[in-house]
């Protein structure tokens, strides 16, 4: 069982930055791949990035063109998403997820946080 709590969302202007945090807890979370997804109104939930707890191998969505960076702090049991050069199209609810396999597909993750809203104004 894994519990995930996101934080750090808010309202920012285009071109600004935010860092999202995902605090993980539970008996088996350290063996999982952690990921960030986002979902805008009327859109499918979209893969953003993933990272393994074991060796911090990272996987990124090609469409984000390097603006977002995922990282982790094992001592704090926390995964981060650094978002730079934000655009209005980045507006979405951002979700933290955990799964037993490395995947970019939302169906591969069986634990999810509640989401945190990111709104980018122009």
């Amino acid at each position: 069982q894994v519990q995930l709590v996101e934080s750090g969302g808010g309202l920012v202007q285009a071109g600004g930055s935010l860092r999202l945090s995902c605090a993980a807890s539970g008996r088996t979370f350290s063996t999982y791949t952690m990921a960030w997804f986002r979902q805008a109104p009327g859109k499918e939930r979209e893969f953003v990035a993933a990272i393994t707890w074991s060796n911090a191998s990272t996987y990124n969505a090609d469409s984000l063109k390097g603006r977002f960076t995922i990282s982790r702090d094992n001592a704090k049991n926390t995964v981060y998403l650094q978002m730079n050069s934000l655009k209005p199209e980045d507006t979405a609810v951002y979700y933290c997820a955990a799964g037993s396999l490395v995947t970019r597909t939302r169906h591969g993750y069986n634990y999810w946080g509640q989401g945190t809203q990111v709104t980018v104004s122009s």
Side-chain angles (χ1 to χ4, degrees):
Q1 186 71 23
V2 176
Q3 294 81 46
L4 306 172
V5 180
E6 305 99 328
S7 62
L11 174 64
V12 298
Q13 293 185 345
S17 298
L18 281 176
R19 189 179 73 166
L20 306 183
S21 298
C22 174
S25 62
R27 186 173 296 178
T28 62
F29 78 90
S30 62
T31 66
Y32 277 66
T33 296
M34 306 295 296
W36 287 98
F37 287 77
R38 67 184 185 182
Q39 187 166 21
K43 302 289 186 179
E44 297 291 326
R45 191 165 295 189
E46 175 189 19
F47 174 80
V48 175
I51 188 168
T52 63
W53 280 112
S54 58
N55 62 0
S57 296
T58 59
Y59 310 86
N60 302 292
D62 294 339
S63 62
L64 295 177
K65 300 180 180 180
R67 294 186 296 115
F68 293 5
T69 302
I70 191 170
S71 62
R72 61 109 168 94
D73 185 336
N74 281 16
K76 296 182 178 180
N77 298 329
T78 300
V79 174
Y80 304 97
L81 182 68
Q82 180 66 46
M83 305 186 295
N84 298 324
S85 301
L86 284 164
K87 305 174 181 179
E89 66 187 45
D90 296 319
T91 295
V93 177
Y94 284 72
Y95 296 92
C96 183
S100 58
L101 299 173
V102 178
T103 179
R104 292 173 170 82
T105 302
R106 63 184 182 274
H107 301 99
Y109 296 88
N110 53 351
Y111 299 103
W112 294 85
Q114 81 287 350
T116 185
Q117 177 70 47
V118 172
T119 302
V120 184
S121 62
S122 60

